[in-house]
Amino acid sequence: MSTSATPTGRHERAAELIQALQLQPHPEGGHYREVFRSEREVMPGDGRAARSALTTIDFLLTQGQFSAWHRVLSDEVWHLLEGGPLRLWLMSPTGDRIEAVELTAATARRAPRHVVPAGWWQAAEPLGPYAYAGATVGPGFDFADFSFLRADAAGTKALRQLRAELVRLL
């Protein structure tokens, strides 16, 4: 397997994955494909309508790409599958703190996954040539439960006050 960059700058392995896995451009940035949506439905306890119990996507970012700041109203588990490291930026729903988590290959002290709690703002960027990840959401993902931070004035203001340099990920 080659790990070189192509003349256009896209990592050769990332290009192979995009083609082999039939990944499409994602509204947040990068490429994705939904790979599972449970036929079972659950009723979230927060007043939302029934949702699939679980969904999961393949998601790929190449160097220079990012997953724009957004939130989902369900818990989301990121799993680094290949490449990386992958940095997840997290901002609390109240906008009072920002955390960074790096997903890397598994070690005795670190697992290649992280749970983003429901309602937390999140963004992601690869720290290497590419990061191929899975994102699993439960209750399952629905675009009705999704919003971009750039559309939330209070959240954008909090981001600017806490870490102005991260506005580049809007």
Side-chain angles (χ1 to χ4, degrees), residues 143-167:
F143 270 105
D145 302 336
F146 174 90
S147 57
F148 280 114
L149 181 62
R150 62 181 168 247
D152 184 287
T156 301
K157 180 179 178 182
L159 177 64
R160 288 183 195 285
Q161 290 174 339
L162 291 169
R163 298 285 298 267
E165 75 276 13
L166 296 180
V167 170

Side-chain angles (χ1 to χ4, degrees), residues 11 14 29-30 59-68 78 80 82-89 101-103 123-133 168-169:
H11 192 275
F59 187 69
L60 187 138
L61 292 168
T62 58
Q63 194 167 41
Q65 293 182 323
F66 58 88
S67 171
W78 285 77
L80 181 66
E82 186 179 312
L86 178 68
R87 178 175 292 143
L88 296 177
W89 291 104
V101 175
E102 287 185 16
L103 302 183
E125 59 185 333
L127 300 179
Y130 74 100
Y132 166 48
R168 67 184 168 79
L169 301 176

Side-chain angles (χ1 to χ4, degrees), residues 16-101:
E16 290 172 3
L17 288 167
I18 289 168
Q19 182 177 8
L21 300 172
Q22 302 175 339
L23 305 180
Q24 300 298 314
H26 194 289
E28 299 165 15
H31 290 80
Y32 85 110
R33 183 171 68 94
E34 185 175 270
V35 295
F36 178 76
R37 178 171 291 274
S38 176
E39 292 181 15
R40 291 183 171 237
E41 289 192 340
V42 296
M43 289 298 298
D46 57 8
R48 290 181 285 161
R51 299 284 185 263
S52 292
L54 186 76
T55 58
T56 192
I57 64 170
D58 282 343
F59 187 69
L60 187 138
L61 292 168
T62 58
Q63 194 167 41
Q65 293 182 323
F66 58 88
S67 171
W69 281 102
H70 66 282
R71 71 175 163 196
V72 178
L73 298 180
S74 295
D75 294 331
E76 182 169 5
V77 184
W78 285 77
H79 323 261
L80 181 66
L81 302 172
E82 186 179 312
L86 178 68
R87 178 175 292 143
L88 296 177
W89 291 104
L90 309 170
M91 184 169 69
S92 66
T94 57
D96 63 344
R97 71 182 186 279
I98 291 180
E99 302 170 9
V101 175

